[in-house]
Amino acid sequence: MKESVLVIGTGFQHFREYALRGLAQRYRVVLVARSPLEWELPYVAEYREADLQDEAAVLAAAEDLAARNRIVGVVTWDEWLVAQAAEIGARLGVRSMPTGAARSCRDKAMQRARFQEEGVPSARFHLAASVAEAVAAADEIGYPVVVKPRGQAASIAVTIVHSEAELRETFEVVRGAESPSIGDGLVLVEEFLSGPEIAVDSWVLDGRVEPFSISAKRTDYPPFFEEVAHVVGKVLDSGTEAAVRDVVIAANRALGVDRTVTHTELMLTADGPRVVEVNGRLGGDLIPRLAEIAIPGLSIGGVLGAVATGREPDPIPEPDRLVGIRFLYPGADLTFDDIEVPATLADEPWVHEVRRVTEPGTELRLPPRQFLGRAGYVIATGADIAEIDARLLALADSTTVVGEPLGV
């Protein structure tokens, strides 16, 4: 019986195909998927359909595949399936992400507590079950504070508030945006960390944490933190990078993550790097794909497959270029039709890719009415971060998101 890696869920083609392709180039892939395969077919040896929100159905599908294949690794790059994939690994007797670590990666408050216990620099925090408790927490921490759901991803509903009045207006909006996986109604109120925000992708195996890619994040639509752009490559000076590396290693070890690729988000404060959160899966927003472009020979799927099966990945070189992505949003709420990019700009040698990611006819709304309401994205290269930022803005400003305006 051939060795196989079990993948739980695949995600959207534009955002995850590179990972599945890289994994399938090195390992035999068996898959539990939501619906009949389409773009995934060339990469998968065998699969089973299951409703990915039905834990019993997913487990049954995984057990059926395990009965027919020798499963040596279990992976997911879907934020909502991290804990479930760990549970499946444990049920199948396949060493994978520890279940406790996976649960911590899905609950930001659990992370904060672990960081506090282990001395990992992070943010002061409180959990609030009511507006009154949130106000008391903010008074103790000091304004501004950040109010966020504990189990969401991509900065959904994460909000900065500067006063009690803003907090009272915001609290129920944030609580209403919580992931169904967290049902106790508690909202995270935490210290506002000021400084540039970065993210670090690392592979983790048997207690060894190896950071290999750093990205600089750009956010917009205040008071929210909608992630609109990222730049990947050599984005930090050597001293800052060394300090970041130490904090990332400590944070991953504090949570006990293993046999995966993690995505650790940090703020570069005046007091040094402080952890925002550790995600127990690949970074989103095509950040790992940007790393593949920036780092010669890198295969994210290959790295993930290696650690999932207990093998040390091949050495990963330093990045030899900078590459950035910016997401395209409508100027106002609309029913989406298409994106239009001037040919003169699209043909520039530094434009790596322009892509539509939303189907025509989809309603797109701006935060807070909708988070991640993106029409497409642009990817560009450049000599330095400032040049990439400027090029991405030029692309975004010149691209028209076409559609029919929506009524209020």
Side-chain angles (χ1 to χ4, degrees):
M1 189 179 293
K2 291 183 179 179
E3 291 187 347
S4 300
V5 173
L6 173 63
V7 178
I8 311 295
T10 57
F12 295 110
Q13 179 178 7
H14 298 315
F15 289 89
R16 291 307 191 190
E17 184 174 14
Y18 69 92
L20 187 60
R21 178 175 59 244
L23 183 64
Q25 286 171 347
R26 294 160 179 80
Y27 301 91
R28 185 175 184 272
V29 173
V30 296
L31 172 68
V32 178
R34 185 185 309 275
S35 56
L37 302 193
E38 295 177 352
W39 63 267
E40 303 97 335
L41 277 171
Y43 311 118
V44 175
E46 191 173 354
Y47 79 100
R48 294 291 181 274
E49 291 181 39
D51 179 352
L52 297 180
Q53 295 182 339
D54 184 336
E55 294 188 9
V58 174
L59 176 60
E63 289 177 332
D64 186 42
L65 286 169
R68 301 165 55 85
N69 301 274
R70 185 179 170 220
I71 307 295
V72 294
V74 179
V75 303
T76 187
W77 39 74
D78 189 323
E79 174 71 18
W80 319 115
L81 299 174
V82 167
Q84 189 174 355
E87 294 284 354
I88 287 171
R91 290 287 295 268
L92 298 182
V94 178
R95 188 176 172 192
S96 54
M97 172 80 90
T99 56
R103 286 192 291 272
S104 293
C105 286
R106 289 292 299 122
D107 187 329
K108 296 173 178 61
M110 291 177 66
Q111 290 192 30
R112 288 280 182 267
R114 289 296 297 157
F115 296 153
Q116 191 174 74
E117 292 167 4
E118 297 297 324
V120 178
S122 185
R124 292 176 293 132
F125 74 99
H126 289 285
L127 284 172
S130 65
V131 172
E133 289 185 9
V135 169
D139 287 342
E140 179 182 333
I141 294 170
Y143 290 97
V145 294
V146 174
V147 186
K148 63 173 63 172
R150 291 150 52 202
Q152 276 289 2
S155 300
I156 290 174
V158 176
T159 310
I160 181 173
V161 297
H162 297 85
S163 66
E164 178 178 332
E166 289 183 8
L167 180 54
R168 290 183 179 278
E169 291 176 1
T170 300
F171 184 82
E172 289 301 334
V173 174
V174 174
R175 178 151 62 181
E178 184 59 271
S179 166
S181 65
I182 296 183
D184 58 14
L186 300 180
V187 171
L188 190 59
V189 180
E190 63 183 35
E191 176 187 7
F192 172 68
L193 301 178
S194 178
E197 187 170 1
I198 63 167
V200 180
D201 287 2
S202 311
W203 62 258
V204 188
L205 178 64
D206 297 338
R208 180 178 172 186
V209 182
E210 285 293 338
F212 63 84
S213 172
I214 302 177
S215 57
K217 180 190 294 186
R218 307 288 184 259
T219 60
D220 204 347
Y221 300 101
F224 307 99
F225 293 81
E226 181 88 356
E227 299 176 16
V228 298
H230 307 273
V231 180
V232 175
K234 198 73 174 175
V235 299
L236 301 177
D237 63 80
S238 58
T240 303
E241 185 173 323
V244 165
R245 178 185 175 90
D246 289 344
V247 172
V248 168
I249 291 171
N252 279 260
R253 287 178 174 167
L255 299 184
V257 297
D258 195 14
R259 298 210 171 200
T260 191
V261 171
T262 63
H263 183 73
T264 304
E265 300 176 357
L266 309 95
M267 298 295 289
L268 302 180
T269 74
D271 298 322
R274 297 172 73 178
V275 179
V276 175
E277 64 189 55
V278 176
N279 299 284
R281 40 82 182 165
L282 301 181
D285 281 359
L286 280 169
I287 291 173
R289 177 58 188 143
L290 301 186
E292 290 185 334
I293 299 169
I295 300 173
L298 175 63
S299 166
I300 292 296
V303 172
L304 180 58
V307 294
T309 57
R311 301 175 173 93
E312 182 179 321
D314 293 335
I316 299 174
E318 292 288 314
D320 68 358
R321 72 178 76 178
L322 285 163
V323 58
I325 188 169
R326 189 170 188 91
F327 294 96
L328 304 173
Y329 292 77
D333 298 351
L334 53 71
T335 301
F336 176 66
D337 183 26
D338 205 350
I339 58 175
E340 296 178 351
V341 187
T344 54
L345 195 56
D347 292 339
E348 289 283 355
W350 45 267
V351 176
H352 188 275
E353 184 179 8
V354 179
R355 184 176 293 276
R356 186 188 74 195
V357 297
T358 295
E359 290 299 316
T362 303
E363 291 188 357
L364 294 180
R365 303 177 187 273
L366 298 175
R369 295 177 296 281
Q370 180 182 356
F371 295 98
L372 306 181
R374 299 158 168 176
Y377 62 77
V378 293
I379 296 177
T381 58
D384 53 41
I385 295 177
E387 183 174 63
I388 289 182
D389 279 337
R391 287 175 169 177
L392 290 172
L393 277 172
L395 276 167
D397 289 344
S398 301
T399 300
T400 303
V401 178
V402 182
E404 184 70 23
L406 290 170
V408 177

